Amino acid sequence: MIWIELLVVLFFIFLGSKMGGIGIGYAGGAGVVVLTLIFGLDAGSVPVDVILIIMAVISAIAAMQKAGGLDYLVHLSESLLRKNPRRVTFLGPTVTYFMTLFAGTGHTAYAALPVIVEVSKEGNVRPSKPLSISVVASQIAITASPISAAVVIFASFLEPLGVSYLQLLAVAIPSTILACVVGAIVANKLGKPLDQDPVYQERVKAGLVKQKSVEAHKDTKEAKRSVGIFLIAIAIIVTYATIISKKVGLIENPTIPRNEAIMAVMLLAATVIALVCKLKMADIPSMSTFKSGMSAAICVLGVAWLGDTFVSNHIEEIKEAAGGMLNQYSWLLAVVLFFASMLLYSQAATTTALMPAALALGVSPIAAIASFAAVSALFVLPTYPTLLAAVEMDDTGTTKIGKYVFNHSFIIPGTVTIAASVLFGFLIGSIVL
């Protein structure tokens, strides 16, 4: 029966991916109904902490967006990119990486992508080069962000094994940054120069390529204040997580645990932003970050619940079948996470569904942390929103989805970046842990 039940899980994941967007969450919940009521499995654990963290962080980001904070960050990024247009392949992913690291969601990349396109054309750089690695950088940075749901929930799995939240970040941040540099180098080698591309030349003749002029931008006090408040909130979270950790032990019996502290501080930040910037509460749910974040919460609910329902009921069979192989070839975990995340479409959902099983099978903490970046293979199927946005925004025609689905502009830079991150993760992890 285990194989039939696995097929049920895969069917509902496939159905959700075909539905697109929030549909994968819907289909995940439907799969739980089938597994429990028809096949008689016990329902798995609902990833409550992950969902609540996503909701709390997104509420603060949406308030910052309403106050103009995201526009302010994009303006700063645009100033940096326009000063060095020929280096946009390296500066573009730097911008999207740190915006995601700072905000805890890769959806902030939407605001930077059109800027990257325009700067690429100014510097005669093929836009597919910076766009491909910039999208990948915005995805992989989730596994290094101190406030992303994926990092926080993974940290909670590692703590019983003696690995702290700060140690996880100490490995994840440098390994993903170095990996993005490698990915940018590879992306920079792909494709002809822009002025030699025949598709681009045809689009120029047809008048399909536009060069937008630099628009004057005035940053408001509210925008700057909202960014400052959000940064202070992140600093508070990291500081609090440090002083309550067992490694530091300044507070042995904290009155509020780390996960709950993240939620509370993010809600506090949203409150302060709303009051200081005098926001209308009715406008915040209409922000694009709020909509995408709440959709992500539903996706995590359905898919992670479905995965845990299957795994928790068959953990012994899984240990027997795969435990020895994963212990002997620990890098195989990265391969499993890579293919799982391309279907689950969420770093948090993939982490919640598979990491507990991997650790239960005896995978070492170093191997698990090194493989963590592989949950960001959201670029493999060319249907992820930021990927599609990059294709649509590139009016030069260089960023494209190939005839055979997988031969698109993002597959090589993305795969190389994740492979490099896993390698750097093993190297840095052996030093930090």
Side-chain angles (χ1 to χ4, degrees):
M1 290 296 291
I2 186 173
W3 294 107
I4 297 175
E5 291 161 7
L6 178 59
L7 287 175
V8 170
V9 172
L10 294 176
F11 168 77
F12 280 103
I13 290 174
F14 176 75
L15 175 63
S17 65
K18 293 293 287 183
M19 292 171 67
I22 201 172
I24 196 166
Y26 292 165
V32 172
V33 172
V34 172
L35 289 180
T36 54
L37 298 186
I38 296 179
F39 289 88
L41 300 187
D42 294 328
S45 300
V46 176
V48 176
D49 276 2
V50 176
I51 295 168
L52 294 180
I53 288 169
I54 291 173
M55 292 173 67
V57 171
I58 288 299
S59 68
I61 293 172
M64 182 174 65
Q65 182 182 17
K66 177 59 183 174
L70 287 185
D71 289 336
Y72 173 57
L73 291 174
V74 171
H75 175 57
L76 293 178
S77 303
E78 183 176 5
S79 300
L80 172 65
L81 292 171
R82 289 194 184 280
K83 288 178 181 178
N84 303 277
R86 291 192 174 276
R87 298 181 181 177
V88 67
T89 304
F90 296 91
L91 295 177
T94 301
V95 167
T96 57
Y97 179 93
F98 282 101
M99 286 181 71
T100 298
L101 189 80
F102 164 71
T105 172
H107 293 292
T108 53
Y110 291 120
L113 295 179
V115 177
I116 292 172
V117 172
E118 295 307 316
V119 172
S120 298
K121 290 187 288 187
E122 289 176 12
N124 193 33
V125 175
R126 186 183 181 90
S128 61
K129 296 180 179 183
L131 284 176
S132 60
I133 186 59
S134 295
V135 167
V136 171
S138 72
Q139 295 175 354
I140 201 170
I142 287 290
T143 60
S145 172
I147 58 172
S148 75
V151 166
V152 174
I153 197 65
F154 187 34
S156 68
F157 298 152
L158 291 171
E159 282 173 347
L161 302 177
V163 178
S164 70
Y165 170 74
L166 294 178
Q167 287 177 308
L168 169 58
L169 293 178
V171 177
I173 292 175
S175 62
T176 51
I177 288 176
L178 291 172
C180 287
V181 173
V182 173
I185 293 172
V186 171
N188 203 39
K189 301 289 185 182
L190 301 175
K192 299 178 180 178
L194 184 59
D195 56 7
Q196 298 177 22
D197 187 274
V199 174
Y200 170 69
Q201 298 295 343
E202 290 176 7
R203 293 180 69 86
V204 169
K205 291 179 182 178
L208 299 175
V209 179
K210 307 295 182 183
Q211 189 72 53
K212 295 181 180 178
S213 58
V214 181
E215 298 179 0
H217 181 88
K218 185 177 181 180
D219 299 313
T220 64
K221 292 181 180 179
E222 288 79 10
K224 295 177 180 179
R225 287 170 182 169
S226 68
V227 172
I229 293 167
F230 196 85
L231 281 172
I232 291 171
I234 294 176
I236 291 172
I237 288 169
V238 174
T239 301
Y240 183 75
T242 302
I243 62 178
I244 68 170
S245 68
K246 293 181 180 179
K247 299 287 184 181
V248 177
L250 292 179
I251 300 178
E252 294 185 359
N253 297 302
T255 55
I256 182 171
R258 186 196 61 242
N259 289 6
E260 286 78 359
I262 292 173
M263 300 173 206
V265 172
M266 283 290 108
L267 293 175
L268 171 63
T271 302
V272 176
I273 291 171
L275 292 174
V276 170
C277 301
K278 300 178 181 178
L279 304 181
K280 292 182 180 179
M281 294 297 96
D283 293 340
I284 293 178
S286 65
M287 295 293 100
S288 60
T289 51
F290 188 91
K291 293 176 181 178
S292 61
M294 293 307 128
S295 294
I298 297 297
C299 290
V300 169
L301 168 61
V303 172
W305 195 9
L306 174 64
D308 190 74
T309 297
F310 176 78
V311 170
S312 62
N313 281 271
H314 296 294
I315 187 64
E316 294 303 322
E317 294 98 319
I318 294 172
K319 281 183 179 180
E320 185 177 343
M325 185 174 293
L326 279 176
N327 281 325
Q328 187 173 359
Y329 306 104
S330 55
W331 55 268
L332 283 176
L333 175 60
V335 178
V336 173
L337 295 174
F338 184 95
F339 286 104
S341 63
M342 64 180 272
L343 295 174
L344 297 181
Y345 265 29
S346 167
Q347 294 95 332
T350 306
T351 303
T352 306
L354 297 180
M355 277 301 191
L359 294 170
L361 291 174
V363 173
S364 69
I366 290 178
I369 294 173
S371 302
F372 185 37
V375 303
S376 297
L378 313 183
F379 58 84
V380 177
L381 294 175
T383 52
Y384 197 74
T386 48
L387 184 152
L388 292 175
V391 173
E392 292 172 6
M393 291 175 187
D394 182 8
D395 59 1
T396 68
T398 63
T399 308
K400 52 195 173 185
I401 297 172
K403 180 180 178 181
Y404 303 104
V405 182
F406 293 102
N407 60 327
H408 52 75
S409 301
F410 307 84
I411 192 71
I412 294 176
T415 304
V416 167
T417 301
I418 285 184
S421 184
V422 172
L423 176 60
F424 287 129
F426 275 107
L427 294 175
I428 298 172
S430 62
I431 297 171
V432 174
L433 302 181

